[in-house]
């Protein structure tokens, strides 16, 4: 019997959930919220995979699988002119400020949202 999927912690849900190329987009590529979070932490915030995995409360191997999937989907959408839709996934919103040494610059708590504590 497979293990239950662990919720991945994300700082916030992206503001823009749909990206449409010029012209017509025949197919839609669906990125999950945790795939976008892995891209944000590793590529935009320049965190190493160990730190990003700790931030998302998952193992490094799981983060790597999520990140590779996100890279593949993003490359397909950009190279083949597909629409990107951010939707779904198995995640939970972070309930507190990040405790890691390097705080992320796009964390919803950095943007003036009050700490729920």
């Amino acid at each position: 019997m497979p293990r239950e999927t662990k919720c991945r912690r994300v700082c916030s849900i992206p503001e823009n959930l749909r990206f449409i190329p010029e012209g017509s987009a025949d197919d839609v590529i669906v990125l999950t919220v945790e795939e976008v979070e892995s891209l944000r932490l590793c590529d935009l915030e320049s965190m190493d995979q160990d730190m990003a995995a700790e931030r998302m409360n998952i193992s490094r191997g799981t983060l790597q699988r999520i990140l590779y999937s996100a890279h593949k989907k993003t490359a397909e959408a950009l190279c083949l002119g597909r629409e990107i839709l951010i939707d779904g996934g198995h995640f939970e919103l972070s309930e507190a400020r990040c405790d890691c040494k390097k705080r992320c610059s796009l964390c919803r708590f950095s943007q003036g949202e009050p700490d729920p504590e």
Side-chain angles (χ1 to χ4, degrees), residues 17-78:
L17 300 176
R18 176 164 276 172
F19 298 88
I20 303 171
E22 289 183 11
S24 65
D26 296 333
D27 296 327
V28 176
I29 304 293
V30 179
L31 281 173
T32 63
V33 173
E34 60 263 24
E35 286 173 331
V36 174
E37 182 75 352
S38 70
L39 287 172
R40 185 181 73 78
L41 292 175
C42 293
D43 298 335
L44 187 61
E45 298 288 338
S46 301
M47 287 185 192
D48 61 31
Q49 289 185 7
D50 288 326
M51 185 180 290
E54 182 180 328
R55 183 73 57 86
M56 290 181 69
N57 197 30
I58 55 177
S59 71
R60 192 197 57 77
T62 299
L63 176 90
Q64 190 173 44
R65 284 189 295 279
I66 293 169
L67 189 59
Y68 285 168
S69 173
H71 282 154
K72 181 177 170 83
K73 289 177 181 181
T74 303
E76 182 180 347
L78 291 174

Side-chain angles (χ1 to χ4, degrees), residues 6-19:
K6 189 175 184 180
C7 280
R8 287 86 189 241
R9 185 173 37 209
V10 299
C11 284
S12 63
I13 296 174
E15 287 183 30
N16 298 302
L17 300 176
R18 176 164 276 172
F19 298 88

